[in-house]
């Protein structure tokens, strides 16, 4: 047996038939913590582009250099790795709420952020906002809103797991207070208890399909049936936890099964995210096609995604490659 | 000079040492004694750190047994402190931390902070569990709040349960985070030290919102949640209490009854009167939040 034999077979789970030919944009997925197998499966399921927000790596960083390397990887290696699977990779850059509580470090990160927010493919400041809803979190949230305003970039807000309703309201109040147009602000991780107010106030309402802790996709179907498709978007927020990088296509399939109109599915799983984040001036849909003409024999600083003996996956036209 | 330790450190240290001595192998004990002698002569922080990290290589990870006398003595020396369920290496690490001179607050806290910064999971468990014993207790507030942000279950548990430090020293927002996160991460709520004493209105409001979210998602709500809401039952959250009172789940109804019994809110008493049996159980002390806990 060789490495070639070990390559995952591309097979078509039943749900893929329902969404055949559809394109998806996952505006929130932490690919740093995912494998290349995930990229392959995502491409096969019709995901053509993603946004990777800066986030917490599961344990606190102790120095500014690890932040620098992380930001660099989001606009460097990870973007390259994604391109090797025909997926256009964007990112948002920011100091996450959890680590805003380490003020010494947070100050140093704030100083560094301006070096990263104008890099190619950076489509916003994010994900920022509240976790514990501490004074330090508020301070750096406000500072980053100012940075976003100055840079004319969209803002991607992480709403807290705990005390979500209050945290969501407070995040929006502060954004307004800093003079941000709600149309430039994507409020993430919504649920049934927060969606109405977010939409009523003119913000984008993003939903994370994440098992156990956030939304399930049956609930998502119900939300779209109740609130429609305007300013609503779906993401996976897949990360190092038990999560599913195929959450967006799977949800689209479920919506299809539940009789939701194709155009509404298209809006919440593709178009709305592009409309929102393209306000950065960094998204050109033509790039999605270009990146599909992948060539896995390329290298990034001398490194390739292929491991010894593996055959490069070169895709010119088809979604499924053996 | 301000006291570094807010409890009788010598006595606690001696009690811990007795347990270590009784439950270590001869080799393990000899190693620890040799390390202690070395540390006392060199006073080199590098040696201190080395011993802290090396302890599990020489002392077992077996769970210790604690005599009822020792347990009681410890609880008296530090209100609510227990080493029940500790492994030997964890206990030895806690004891070792007491070997660090605490007279210079800055050097002491920096040395301990460095241990936290470089700690792996088991070291974090030992360090956070040792919070009630560390010198300069006010110095660990931020560190504790940081620990609550961890996503590692056993680390969270070391902070949240059977640990008197948070209730005594955390500011209200950090304390509320601890309780909320304990619900989110399904920790044994009734084992949080000082739980009832530090119930507060903002926490009750937050937990009620949380219950609404869970219901919206079609998920169950932990019955102990109402324990924190009980002292603050008002017109706003009264429908929630009525809802669990009407629940088909008997544990939820019992939680509603307990909440009503704790509440100064008049309609709560009227409601409780409707179920004489439950009312009597509460009166007799057979139905309490702790009694309910194993069934939650």
């Amino acid at each position: 047996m060789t490495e070639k034999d070990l390559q995952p077979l591309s097979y078509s789970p039943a749900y893929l038939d329902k969404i055949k030919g559809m394109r998806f944009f996952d505006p929130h997925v932490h690919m740093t913590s995912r494998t290349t197998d995930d990229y392959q499966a995502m491409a096969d399921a019709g995901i053509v582009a993603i946004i990777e927000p800066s986030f917490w790596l599961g344990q606190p960083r102790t120095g500014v250099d690890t932040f620098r390397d992380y930001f660099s990887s989001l606009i460097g290696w990870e973007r390259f790795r994604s391109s090797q699977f025909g997926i256009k990779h964007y990112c948002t850059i920011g100091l996450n709420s959890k680590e805003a509580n380490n003020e010494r470090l947070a100050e140093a990160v704030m100083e560094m952020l301006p070096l990263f927010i104008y890099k190619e493919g950076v489509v916003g400041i994010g994900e920022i906002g509240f976790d514990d809803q501490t004074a330090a979190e508020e301070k750096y949230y406000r500072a980053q809103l100012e940075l976003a305003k100055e840079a004319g970039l969209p803002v991607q807000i992480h709403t807290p797991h705990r005390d979500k309703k209050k945290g969501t309201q407070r995040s929006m109040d502060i954004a307004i207070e800093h003079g941000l147009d709600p149309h430039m602000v994507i409020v993430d991780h919504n649920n049934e208890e927060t969606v109405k107010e977010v939409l009523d106030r003119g913000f984008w309402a993003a939903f994370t399909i994440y098992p156990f802790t956030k939304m399930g996709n049956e609930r998502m179907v119900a939300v779209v049936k109740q609130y429609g498709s305007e300013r609503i978007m779906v993401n996976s927020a897949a990360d190092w936890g038990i999560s599913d990088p195929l959450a967006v296509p799977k949800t689209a399939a479920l919506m299809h099964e539940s009789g939701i109109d194709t155009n509404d599915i298209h809006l919440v799983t593709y178009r709305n995210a592009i409309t929102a984040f393209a306000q950065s001036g960094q998204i050109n849909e033509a790039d999605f096609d270009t990146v599909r003409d992948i060539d896995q024999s390329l290298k990034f600083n001398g490194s390739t995604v292929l491991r010894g003996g593996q055959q490069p996956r070169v895709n010119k036209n088809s979604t499924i490659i053996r | 000079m301000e006291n570094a330790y807010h409890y009788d450190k010598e006595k606690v240290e001696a009690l811990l040492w007795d347990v270590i001595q009784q439950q270590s192998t001869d080799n393990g004990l000899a190693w620890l004694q040799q390390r202690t002698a070395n540390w006392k002569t060199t006073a080199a922080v590098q040696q201190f750190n080395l011993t802290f990290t090396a302890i599990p290589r020489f002392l077992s990870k077996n769970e210790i047994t604690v005599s009822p006398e020792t347990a009681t003595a410890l609880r008296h020396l530090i209100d609510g402190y227990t080493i029940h369920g500790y492994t030997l290496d964890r206990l030895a690490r806690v004891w070792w931390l007491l070997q660090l001179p605490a007279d210079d607050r800055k050097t002491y806290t920096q040395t301990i902070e460095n241990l936290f910064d470089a700690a792996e999971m088991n070291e974090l468990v030992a360090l956070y569990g040792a919070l009630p014993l560390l010198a300069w207790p006010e110095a660990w507030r931020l560190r504790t709040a940081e620990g609550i942000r961890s996503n590692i279950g056993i680390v969270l548990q070391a902070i949240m349960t059977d640990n008197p430090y948070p209730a005594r020293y955390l500011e209200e927002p950090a304390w509320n985070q601890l309780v909320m996160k304990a619900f989110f991460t399904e920790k044994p709520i009734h084992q949080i030290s000082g739980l009832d004493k530090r119930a507060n209105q903002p926490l009750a409001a937050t937990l009620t919102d949380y219950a609404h979210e869970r219901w919206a998602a079609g998920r169950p709500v932990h019955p102990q949640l109402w324990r924190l809401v009980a002292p603050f039952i008002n017109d706003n959250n009264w429908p929630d209490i009525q809802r669990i009172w009407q629940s088909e789940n008997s544990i939820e109804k019992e939680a509603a009854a307990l909440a009503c019994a704790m509440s100064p809110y008049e309609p709560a008493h009227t409601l409780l009167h409707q179920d004489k049996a439950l009312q009597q159980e509460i009166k007799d002390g057979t139905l309490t939040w702790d009694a309910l806990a194993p069934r939650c």
Side-chain angles (χ1 to χ4, degrees):
Chain A
M1 199 191 280
T2 68
E3 281 281 350
K4 191 182 173 190
D5 302 312
L6 290 173
Q7 287 199 83
L9 294 173
S10 296
Y11 72 101
S12 270
Y15 76 87
L16 282 186
D17 288 341
K18 300 193 174 78
I19 50 173
K20 211 168 190 169
M22 290 184 80
R23 299 178 132 206
F24 302 108
F25 189 116
D26 187 342
H28 188 147
V29 57
H30 300 283
M31 294 311 295
T32 297
S33 23
R34 310 297 312 191
T35 63
T36 47
D37 287 3
D38 290 335
Y39 273 125
Q40 294 200 138
M42 288 161 81
D44 290 347
I47 295 176
V48 293
I50 55 174
I51 297 172
E52 174 150 14
S54 316
F55 195 50
W56 190 58
L57 291 181
Q59 64 177 46
R61 282 162 277 220
T62 58
V64 70
D65 288 349
T66 49
F67 265 101
R68 190 188 340 265
D69 293 342
Y70 172 63
F71 292 149
S72 295
S73 76
L74 293 184
I75 52 167
W77 169 250
E78 205 51 55
R79 182 170 303 166
F80 169 76
R81 195 165 75 111
S82 179
S83 74
Q84 295 302 280
F85 298 90
I87 296 173
K88 182 70 188 166
H89 182 286
Y90 303 97
C91 67
T92 58
I93 295 281
L95 168 68
N96 71 77
S97 50
K98 271 185 188 250
E99 288 172 282
N101 290 293
N102 181 345
E103 292 206 49
R104 183 187 54 78
L105 188 54
E107 283 300 328
V109 174
M110 287 304 299
E111 239 174 72
M112 192 170 62
L113 283 184
L115 292 170
F116 284 94
I117 60 171
Y118 283 125
K119 298 261 195 265
E120 197 174 301
V122 177
V123 295
I125 304 287
E127 52 183 310
I128 61 171
F130 288 113
D131 178 52
D132 277 10
Q133 304 187 46
T134 62
E137 288 171 17
E138 182 171 333
K139 176 178 165 189
Y140 293 105
Y141 173 53
R142 286 179 184 276
Q144 293 186 90
L145 289 178
E146 282 299 314
L147 193 61
K149 201 169 71 169
E150 194 187 330
L153 285 171
V155 177
Q156 190 175 23
I157 295 180
H158 162 93
T159 55
H161 299 262
R162 301 171 300 282
D163 209 1
K164 182 180 280 292
K165 203 170 166 187
K166 243 179 279 163
T168 306
Q169 287 165 341
R170 206 169 143 199
S171 302
M172 290 189 290
D173 291 345
I174 294 173
I176 301 267
E177 195 187 313
H178 281 262
L180 274 99
D181 181 344
H183 205 252
M184 285 293 268
V185 181
I186 297 92
V187 180
D188 222 326
H189 315 315
N190 278 283
N191 63 23
E192 295 88 345
E193 293 284 302
T194 59
V195 54
K196 186 171 185 309
E197 188 179 339
V198 171
L199 290 174
D200 285 350
R201 295 177 75 172
F203 290 81
W204 295 92
F207 289 81
T208 297
I209 309 302
Y210 196 111
F212 315 119
T213 58
K214 298 188 178 87
M215 288 289 285
N217 58 9
E218 289 155 315
R219 289 162 61 198
M220 191 66 230
V221 167
V223 166
V224 172
K225 281 189 171 165
Q226 185 174 351
Y227 294 96
S229 55
E230 192 190 338
R231 275 180 292 117
I232 284 180
M233 63 182 85
V234 178
N235 63 60
S236 69
D239 56 12
W240 36 255
I242 297 170
S243 45
D244 190 345
L246 300 177
V248 176
K250 282 181 182 172
T251 303
L254 195 66
M255 286 179 179
H256 179 81
E257 223 171 80
S258 315
I260 291 179
D261 184 77
T262 311
N263 186 49
D264 290 322
I265 301 175
H266 175 71
L267 286 170
V268 301
T269 59
Y270 182 78
R271 177 63 55 203
N272 286 347
I274 295 172
T275 309
F277 286 99
Q279 297 180 96
S280 63
Q282 285 293 301
I283 298 181
N284 177 1
E285 272 182 85
D287 293 343
F288 301 175
D289 295 319
T290 314
V291 80
R292 287 203 81 71
D293 295 333
I294 52 172
D295 183 353
Q296 286 188 340
S297 57
L298 290 177
K299 289 182 176 172
F300 178 82
N301 283 348
S303 294
T304 138
V305 294
L306 302 173
R307 287 290 165 262
Q310 280 179 327
Q311 298 299 308
R313 181 180 186 176
V314 181
N315 182 359
K316 294 296 177 194
N317 297 306
S318 140
T319 330
I320 312 290
I321 297 175
R322 270 181 203 280
Chain B
M1 196 190 79
E2 195 195 337
N3 277 340
Y5 290 97
H6 290 204
Y7 62 94
D8 190 335
K9 185 217 168 197
E10 306 304 321
K11 281 192 184 158
V12 169
E13 194 183 328
L15 282 168
L16 300 186
W17 177 250
D18 282 347
V19 181
I20 294 169
Q21 226 175 357
Q22 287 155 17
Q23 300 187 36
S24 299
T25 61
D26 290 347
N27 284 346
L29 203 59
W31 175 80
L32 194 54
Q33 283 165 328
Q34 182 266 321
R35 294 304 304 169
T36 312
N38 169 290
W39 165 235
K40 286 199 169 132
T41 46
T42 63
V45 173
Q46 191 192 29
Q47 293 297 316
F48 179 81
N49 291 345
L50 194 143
T51 304
F52 180 80
T53 55
I55 280 171
R57 304 247 178 141
F58 299 91
L59 292 150
S60 83
K61 292 183 176 174
N62 295 338
E63 195 173 311
I64 52 163
T65 51
V66 188
S67 71
E69 297 77 36
T70 305
T72 309
L74 279 173
R75 225 178 5 254
H76 282 158
L77 286 162
I78 302 171
D79 188 22
Y81 182 66
T82 173
I83 52 171
H84 177 76
Y86 272 40
T87 53
L88 181 64
D89 61 323
R90 180 176 172 186
L91 180 67
R93 277 183 164 148
V94 173
W95 177 83
W96 183 251
L97 292 172
L98 296 178
Q99 309 311 305
L100 184 66
D103 39 347
D104 178 355
R105 174 174 166 149
K106 202 170 159 217
T107 311
Y108 177 85
T109 49
Q110 194 54 58
T111 307
I112 302 272
E113 286 288 358
N114 288 347
L115 289 182
F116 270 108
D117 275 345
E120 47 82 290
M121 259 178 4
N122 294 312
E123 291 171 333
L124 286 175
V125 167
L127 286 162
Y128 282 116
L131 284 171
L133 267 56
L134 294 182
W136 310 109
E138 292 82 4
W140 314 109
R141 287 197 176 112
L142 275 180
R143 175 53 73 176
T144 308
E146 185 61 40
I148 298 165
R149 290 182 196 110
S150 171
N151 59 342
I152 304 173
I154 55 170
V155 175
L156 284 174
Q157 188 140 355
I159 304 169
M160 291 169 173
T161 60
D162 291 327
N163 189 337
Y165 181 90
R168 203 166 306 161
Y169 291 102
L170 284 188
E171 312 264 351
E172 188 171 288
W175 168 259
N176 288 354
Q177 277 299 322
L178 180 150
V179 177
M180 269 190 284
K181 193 143 178 188
F183 278 107
F184 271 79
T185 56
E186 298 175 345
K187 297 290 176 291
I189 302 297
H190 63 290
Q191 284 180 33
I192 300 176
S193 312
L195 185 66
D196 296 318
K197 212 188 277 180
R198 292 213 56 184
N200 60 78
Q201 168 70 58
L203 179 61
T206 299
L207 290 175
T208 312
D209 276 350
Y210 172 54
H212 293 169
E213 266 182 52
R214 300 272 308 176
W215 284 332
R219 292 175 180 149
V221 172
H222 196 297
Q224 297 274 341
L225 183 143
W226 308 106
R227 179 178 185 167
L228 281 312
V229 176
F232 309 98
I233 294 178
N234 55 30
D235 293 349
N236 292 333
N237 56 33
W238 181 234
D240 301 326
I241 303 293
Q242 288 173 301
R243 173 178 172 148
I244 55 163
W245 174 271
Q246 280 148 15
S247 167
E248 283 172 11
N249 178 340
S250 66
I251 301 167
E252 289 201 331
K253 177 152 188 200
E254 286 168 75
L258 283 164
C260 288
M262 278 172 82
S263 166
Y265 186 71
E266 197 44 48
H269 291 276
T270 316
L271 186 65
L272 186 56
H273 280 306
Q274 290 176 16
D275 194 322
K276 299 283 184 229
L278 277 181
Q279 196 178 17
Q280 194 57 43
E281 278 184 51
I282 294 172
K283 217 171 181 180
D284 297 343
T286 49
L287 177 58
T288 62
W289 289 111
D290 284 345
L292 197 65
R295 294 190 284 130
C296 291

